[in-house]
Amino acid sequence: MHSLSTLAFLIGALVVSGGYCHREVETRSLDQIYEAAKAEGGVVTLWAGGDEKDQQNKLKDAFEARFPDITLNLTVDLSKYHDGRIDEQLAAKNLYVDATFLQSLHDFPRWKSQNALLNYQPLEFKNIFDEFKDSDGAYYGVFILFWSNIWNTDKIDAASAPKEYTDYLKPAFKDKLALTYPNDDDAVAFQFDLIIKQYGWEWFDDLIAQNPHWVRGTATPSTLLSPSLNNVYGATFTSEIGLASSGSLNISFPTKGQFVSWPQTGAIFADAPHPEGAKLLTNFVLSDEYQKASGWSVRRDLPGPSGYPTIFDMPGTNVTAFRDFMLDRAAVERLRFRFEDKIGTAQGFSPLVDDL
């Protein structure tokens, strides 16, 4: 049975005019959309959620290589800052962003209710998991993000390697944890919420006693663990490096606990200055070419990445739970202030360049 918040996300606030909701269903090929995007001006502006400016360079490089006559103007910043700036543009009727990919899943039903989103069903719309998309195509998942256990084998011995969240309370992790402030990022807050519901606030108090290094930004912890940096930080569970270990950085997923995963969600704005460019970008991101190279897919017709099942079949995670968490803003704020009371306000820039 779907919760009310799940239904709110799936249905959205219906955009109607005289009881009729217009949907644009894409039937053109990628190459045909490419020609339309070139004729439009050959540019598309995307605001993407993230902590570090280069986090979506892979997307920019792949898109511009595939469509060399189109420029992707890409700005990466925290989703919680992007959405406010988008609201300002919408209120001023001076929108210059074409599309956005954000973590703030609660924003999309609201924008739909304001008639701010284009009801557009891209080529692979039918194959996107129903749980990830608005029925009219106003918004949909574009790729899967998640957190995992990550540790540096040069700093954490094999016997202490973390598998469950209780492992981080071992003496081996004293002063060696790099963790994102849970009161500064909603997806991190949700990870801590899941752990605390399983092990209690005593676990969090014991974690604080480990003297973790709190940072802003979820890319920062895994960067701090990098073998190229001369520091003591050896482990985190508020970041990700992909689905495979790399060099001395190893990953694992809990078997008793839950890790956070969610569909980063995208939309094209109804008044986008470059709608054809935005459609080209969206269709590219949802294509076989991009989805197969991006880990877990938002499409049900594609298999899980090598060595893994699909995200819905992956043990230890509920890929729709974060959406429900995000829709209850009052509960999120209460949790945020409880974390803040225990560890203080988030300090430093995001990302913490000075720490690197």
Side-chain angles (χ1 to χ4, degrees):
M1 179 179 295
H2 290 298
S3 68
L4 289 178
S5 56
T6 298
L7 291 175
F9 188 87
L10 295 177
I11 299 171
L14 184 62
V15 181
V16 296
S17 176
Y20 174 71
C21 179
H22 174 71
R23 304 183 187 98
E24 182 178 348
V25 179
E26 187 60 80
T27 59
R28 298 171 295 173
S29 68
L30 270 177
D31 288 337
Q32 289 172 323
I33 305 171
Y34 180 30
E35 292 303 315
K38 287 193 290 184
E40 181 184 67
V43 67
V44 55
T45 297
L46 171 70
W47 279 12
D51 322 289
E52 296 183 353
K53 293 180 179 180
D54 63 354
Q55 268 185 292
Q56 290 297 330
N57 281 1
K58 174 186 172 183
L59 170 58
K60 178 177 172 64
D61 293 344
F63 179 75
E64 292 182 345
R66 175 68 172 79
F67 306 106
D69 293 326
I70 307 293
T71 298
L72 174 57
N73 291 329
L74 174 64
T75 300
V76 176
D77 205 342
L78 299 183
S79 295
K80 65 181 181 180
Y81 296 154
H82 271 329
D83 61 2
R85 294 165 188 157
I86 289 170
D87 284 339
E88 291 176 357
Q89 291 180 38
L90 293 171
K93 300 186 184 305
N94 185 31
L95 187 73
Y96 58 86
V97 177
D98 296 307
T100 192
F101 298 165
L102 297 179
Q103 170 184 300
S104 50
L105 306 187
H106 59 291
D107 284 318
F108 294 96
R110 176 175 63 84
W111 281 330
K112 183 183 179 183
S113 74
Q114 298 168 353
N115 295 350
L117 304 180
L118 183 68
N119 292 325
Y120 173 73
Q121 298 183 359
L123 290 168
E124 296 294 344
F125 184 77
K126 67 181 183 300
N127 290 322
I128 300 172
F129 286 107
D130 290 343
E131 294 87 344
F132 295 167
K133 64 188 177 186
D134 167 69
S135 59
D136 295 317
Y139 49 87
Y140 24 77
V142 287
F143 45 80
I144 301 296
L145 295 180
F146 60 92
W147 308 141
S148 68
N149 297 312
I150 309 171
W151 70 98
N152 186 325
T153 57
D154 293 334
K155 300 174 183 179
I156 303 297
D157 61 51
S160 301
K163 298 295 187 295
E164 306 299 334
Y165 298 114
T166 49
D167 291 338
Y168 292 100
L169 305 182
K170 295 177 180 178
F173 294 97
K174 179 78 171 181
D175 301 321
K176 292 184 179 181
L177 297 175
L179 301 174
T180 307
Y181 282 102
N183 46 317
D184 197 41
D185 184 287
D186 287 344
V188 173
F190 184 46
Q191 180 66 82
F192 277 90
D193 187 49
L194 291 174
I195 299 170
I196 290 166
K197 283 178 177 174
Q198 182 175 11
Y199 296 115
W201 280 96
E202 295 83 1
W203 173 90
F204 189 67
D205 292 334
D206 290 342
L207 183 75
I208 293 173
Q210 292 286 67
N211 193 33
H213 180 50
W214 298 104
V215 300
R216 301 190 68 189
T218 56
T220 306
S222 58
T223 302
L224 288 174
L225 268 56
S226 172
S228 64
L229 298 179
N230 184 22
N231 60 43
V232 299
Y233 307 121
T236 188
F237 55 87
T238 64
S239 191
E240 62 94 6
I241 58 170
L243 287 169
S245 298
S246 177
S248 61
L249 293 186
N250 277 15
I251 73 160
S252 70
F253 293 102
T255 57
K256 297 178 182 177
Q258 290 281 309
F259 70 94
V260 172
S261 63
W262 73 96
Q264 192 83 334
T265 296
I268 299 171
F269 291 102
D271 294 329
H274 309 99
E276 297 299 336
K279 293 171 188 175
L280 182 65
L281 174 65
T282 298
N283 280 280
F284 173 71
V285 169
L286 292 171
S287 69
D288 286 13
E289 177 183 350
Y290 194 79
Q291 288 288 306
K292 289 180 178 178
S294 300
W296 277 304
S297 177
V298 297
R299 287 171 43 186
R300 60 189 168 203
D301 62 321
L302 295 179
S306 178
Y308 292 93
T310 68
I311 188 62
F312 275 96
D313 294 325
M314 179 66 186
T317 192
N318 179 346
V319 72
T320 63
F322 177 57
R323 174 195 61 216
D324 295 341
F325 174 82
M326 291 291 280
L327 287 167
D328 190 348
R329 300 312 298 167
V332 173
E333 291 305 305
R334 287 193 299 271
L335 184 63
R336 185 195 316 277
F337 289 129
R338 189 161 184 184
F339 287 131
E340 187 173 298
D341 182 52
K342 286 182 172 288
I343 62 175
T345 57
Q347 301 295 311
F349 297 103
S350 182
L352 268 177
V353 177
D354 291 344
D355 277 348
L356 305 184

